[in-house]
């Protein structure tokens, strides 16, 4: 019986570079108020959102991803040809096949990199990061590009008072590569499918023709809020424990940018000290689902609110309901 040779990967993996892309059009709350009965004060008090970015016809899922990825690759100090795999998390690429990752890999100039899409909603970046870490450590790719990208404006019902103000568009990307020391902690992830009705697409694509109304994202706001605040705080604590990092040792907290009230409640529940920098990109970017964590990470580093080498807790959670949390060293 033949013996399979062991894989030759890196002992550990780390995020080497990060990049982001926000569409050029900035949409203030006043635009949202043209189609719903609400107020700027109500939107800000309930979500923290002041503006969001919406993509134009040229700012496709692929185009935004390529822009963000180019920045991440440059930040990592490697060439696109060195990328061995491209993982794209999105729920707003409307072609069932082929995966948009294959187009992105080709246009970036990778050397026939493995490429595939995943659908894990707002936890998609964490899922992709976990897969990338495994590939680097196992040896199937030396460098992996992880992209979170959404055009949620395409899936927004502008007449739905509960969700019309929430969503934005954008792309965030990171390059994951080899490391001589631990820099991506164990992932605490999972799903609670019994709660899948709380965030969902209004109708399946197969019923689109009969309804005459384009599918949109809808959610049960209060149920999602309670779940995110209480259950995800527990998951975040588990991720800290798994990494052997205490709240006092944490430098940065980058939660999914769903709602500033959720962020504030998680900070309180986790008892994070005031010294911890908390990402609040939701104020000007809105909820960009899979793109929200890398976009927030990129902005914190670009503005100097966080620095290379900082220890950060990242957690994503959303439709499914799915979640993923881990502790990382910032690039």
């Amino acid at each position: 019986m033949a013996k399979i040779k062991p894989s030759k990967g890196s002992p550990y993996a780390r995020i080497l570079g990060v990049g982001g892309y926000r569409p050029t059009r900035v949409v203030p709350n006043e635009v949202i108020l043209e189609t719903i009965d609400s107020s700027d004060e109500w939107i800000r008090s309930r979500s923290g959102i002041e503006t969001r970015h919406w993509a134009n016809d040229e700012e496709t899922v692929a185009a935004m991803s390529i822009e963000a990825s180019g920045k991440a690759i440059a930040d990592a100090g490697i060439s696109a040809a060195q990328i061995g795999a491209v993982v794209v998390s999105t729920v707003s690429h409307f072609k069932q096949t082929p995966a948009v990752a294959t187009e992105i890999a080709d246009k970036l100039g990778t050397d026939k990199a493995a490429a595939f899409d995943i659908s894990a909603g707002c936890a998609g970046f964490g899922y992709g990061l976990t897969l990338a870490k495994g590939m680097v450590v196992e040896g199937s790719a030396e460098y992996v590009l992880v992209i979170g990208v959404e055009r949620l404006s395409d899936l927004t019902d502008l007449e739905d008072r509960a969700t019309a103000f929430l969503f934005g568009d954008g792309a965030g990307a990171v390059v994951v590569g080899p490391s001589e020391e631990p820099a991506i902690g164990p992932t605490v992830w999972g799903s609670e499918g019994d709660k899948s009705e709380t965030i969902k697409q209004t109708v399946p694509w197969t019923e689109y023709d009969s309804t005459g109304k384009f599918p949109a994202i809808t959610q049960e706001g209060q149920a999602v809020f309670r779940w995110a605040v209480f259950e995800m705080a527990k998951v975040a604590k588990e991720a800290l424990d798994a990494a052997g990092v205490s709240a006092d040792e944490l430098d940065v907290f980058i939660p999914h940018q769903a709602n500033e009230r959720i962020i504030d409640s998680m900070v309180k529940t986790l008892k994070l000290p005031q010294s911890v920098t908390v990402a609040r990109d939701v104020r000007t970017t809105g909820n960009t689902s899979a793109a929200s964590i890398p976009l927030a990470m990129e902005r914190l580093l670009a503005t100097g609110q966080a620095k290379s080498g900082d220890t950060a807790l990242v957690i994503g959670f959303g439709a499914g309901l799915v979640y993923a949390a881990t502790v990382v060293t910032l690039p």
Side-chain angles (χ1 to χ4, degrees), residues 81-168:
Q82 293 174 271
I83 298 292
V86 177
V87 182
V88 178
S89 177
T90 185
V91 298
S92 47
H93 174 59
F94 296 144
K95 288 183 180 178
Q96 193 72 34
T97 192
V100 71
T102 58
E103 176 185 350
I104 294 166
D106 175 63
K107 290 184 175 178
L108 282 173
T110 67
D111 185 17
K112 300 180 180 179
F116 58 95
D117 299 349
I118 60 174
S119 176
C122 305
F125 175 74
Y127 276 48
L129 185 64
T130 302
L131 295 173
K133 173 187 174 183
M135 283 186 264
V136 171
V137 172
E138 186 270 340
S140 58
E142 185 176 12
Y143 299 101
V144 180
L145 179 64
V146 180
I147 303 166
V149 57
E150 301 292 2
R151 274 182 54 123
L152 294 183
S153 58
D154 293 333
L155 287 168
T156 299
D157 181 352
L158 294 177
E159 296 180 352
D160 180 2
R161 189 174 184 271
T163 61
F165 59 90
L166 287 175
F167 303 120

